[in-house]
Amino acid sequence: MTVKMTNRQLHALETKDAIYRAAISLFKTKGYENVLIEEITKAAHTAKGTFYIHFKSKKDLLYHTFNKFDEIYVNAYEEVKQIPTFEERFLSFIEISYREIDAGGKEIPKALYYNSILDVDPVLLQNSRNKYKIISEMVQFGIETGELNAKESVDYYLDMIKTQITGMDYRWCVATEEIDFAKYTRESMRIYLRGLKNL
């Protein structure tokens, strides 16, 4: 049963989205560290107090991007979940996801990476994210089809894959040369999966 939102709830969501979009636009043009909350609220045509109704801080607003990225992963998985082999399903998922993320530029992913890396429990790596739930589901599929060795657990494979993905993300963030991120991640993961499949 779908619960219909009230006009007030819809307005609150629209306001939150307006603040978020204004902030992301400013982060992309000026850099995350150079943007003040006052600039965000001015660009969103809202009061500073309204900002704090929706976000605890500028960092909290930035981290809302993890939710946006997880929407990308969910949509990508919908496109690939009928692919009959684990390897191609996984590689297609990575390529589709990262192509969309790359299209938005790397200023925001870079800010996310640098701001979360020193957190005690980085959102970047939390298993509760849709990204890692989907990867776990694909890994389970790989174990069931025999492409991955059943002697290792889903958590083991997930940890290994997370480590590789984090490294690829960092490489992209610091690259001074142009990288086709989707192609780069697909090829890197193809080589990495070959090793995992031989365990």
Side-chain angles (χ1 to χ4, degrees):
M1 178 178 160
T2 305
V3 179
K4 188 175 179 181
M5 287 192 289
T6 65
N7 286 338
R8 185 173 182 159
Q9 289 170 319
L10 285 170
H11 180 68
L13 281 178
E14 288 168 1
T15 301
K16 182 176 183 176
D17 191 55
I19 293 168
Y20 175 77
R21 284 185 286 104
I24 293 302
S25 179
L26 287 166
F27 294 163
K28 285 182 177 180
T29 55
K30 297 183 67 174
Y32 170 79
E33 298 296 338
N34 302 317
V35 176
L36 301 172
I37 288 174
E38 290 83 354
E39 294 176 274
I40 295 169
T41 54
K42 184 178 179 182
H45 307 290
T46 190
K48 190 173 179 181
T50 305
F51 177 95
Y52 289 106
I53 291 171
H54 300 287
F55 301 104
K56 291 181 279 190
S57 63
K58 187 173 78 165
K59 187 174 180 178
D60 182 47
L61 182 149
L62 176 68
Y63 281 14
H64 185 60
T65 306
F66 284 120
N67 298 330
K68 298 291 188 182
F69 283 176
D70 278 355
E71 289 173 17
I72 291 173
Y73 296 123
V74 167
N75 292 336
Y77 189 51
E78 284 300 312
E79 289 189 46
V80 306
K81 67 182 183 180
Q82 299 307 320
I83 294 175
T85 65
F86 160 71
E87 182 174 344
E88 186 53 36
R89 185 182 296 187
F90 185 89
L91 295 178
S92 296
F93 166 77
I94 286 290
E95 185 174 13
I96 292 166
S97 302
Y98 279 57
R99 177 124 359 248
E100 187 163 346
I101 290 169
D102 189 25
K106 63 182 176 181
E107 184 62 42
I108 304 307
K110 194 174 184 177
L112 282 169
Y113 191 97
Y114 291 143
N115 277 275
S116 67
I117 203 68
L118 297 178
D119 288 348
V120 174
D121 182 22
V123 178
L124 186 73
L125 298 174
Q126 288 176 1
N127 285 352
S128 59
R129 289 186 58 197
N130 284 335
K131 175 182 186 178
Y132 297 124
K133 289 178 181 177
I134 289 167
I135 290 174
S136 293
E137 190 174 317
M138 286 191 284
V139 165
Q140 182 61 48
F141 173 71
I143 292 171
E144 289 168 4
T145 62
E147 291 179 76
L148 295 175
N149 194 325
K151 74 175 185 179
E152 302 294 353
S153 68
V154 170
D155 286 343
Y156 171 83
Y157 285 114
L158 178 61
D159 189 57
M160 293 294 103
I161 290 168
K162 272 179 161 180
T163 301
Q164 177 69 5
I165 286 174
T166 304
M168 292 186 308
D169 290 350
Y170 178 77
R171 171 71 178 87
W172 178 58
C173 285
V174 301
T176 54
E177 74 278 19
E178 284 297 316
I179 292 177
D180 182 331
F181 195 31
K183 185 177 178 183
Y184 171 79
T185 51
R186 182 185 172 101
E187 181 60 14
S188 295
M189 285 308 310
R190 185 185 67 79
I191 294 166
Y192 194 71
L193 288 183
R194 187 178 297 169
L196 290 181
K197 289 170 74 173
N198 287 327
L199 289 176

